[in-house]
Amino acid sequence: MTSESEIHQCECDICQAGSDSEIVHQHRQMNVFLSRLNEPQRRWYVGLLSQQSDGPSERQLSKITGLDEKTIRRGRQELGSELVGLPDDRQRQKGGGRLQAEKKTQN
């Protein structure tokens, strides 16, 4: 279960001022939804939102979601290439992480 502290608090001017309860609620719902997605899914969803002609800019989406603008651009680019070359069965691409210090063998 996602805890309250894992849900990003929107930093846009409207939410900070609490001036429009409908927008505050919409941004809250967006962040609740994002809290349930894994890293690439968050990137793709916000990248998709950034493509809407009447939607928020990358900077606004960054304030709303807490994702970096470069991450949002990356999500949009990956969607533009229809996710070609990205693994569909794992979160990260193969080959990442540290190499093992020594190989374990069974005796």
Side-chain angles (χ1 to χ4, degrees):
M1 186 113 220
T2 303
S3 72
E4 187 71 23
S5 64
E6 293 176 18
I7 299 172
H8 177 75
Q9 300 300 310
C10 179
E11 299 170 4
C12 79
D13 295 338
I14 295 170
C15 289
Q16 293 300 305
S19 58
D20 186 334
S21 62
E22 188 175 324
I23 296 291
V24 171
H25 179 71
Q26 182 182 28
H27 291 180
R28 172 77 180 158
Q29 291 296 299
M30 187 184 306
N31 283 312
V32 168
F33 176 67
L34 287 171
S35 74
R36 301 298 177 103
L37 301 177
N38 65 34
E39 180 183 320
Q41 291 169 337
R42 286 191 299 270
R43 185 171 66 231
W44 300 331
Y45 173 66
V46 179
L48 184 65
L49 293 175
S50 75
Q51 293 180 32
Q52 296 176 347
S53 59
D54 60 343
S57 68
E58 288 176 3
R59 177 165 291 175
Q60 290 168 320
L61 285 168
S62 180
K63 284 184 173 186
I64 294 167
T65 65
L67 293 179
D68 189 89
E69 290 178 53
K70 289 183 231 170
T71 303
I72 296 169
R73 277 193 292 276
R74 179 179 172 191
R76 192 174 57 243
Q77 290 167 346
E78 289 174 347
L79 283 171
S81 69
E82 298 186 355
L83 309 179
V84 172
L86 298 172
D88 59 356
D89 60 339
R90 49 187 294 141
Q91 185 168 338
R92 297 184 183 264
Q93 294 190 17
K94 281 189 170 194
R98 295 183 182 182
L99 298 175
Q100 288 184 333
E102 69 180 59
K103 198 164 199 154
K104 294 182 180 182
T105 59
Q106 292 182 356
N107 292 333

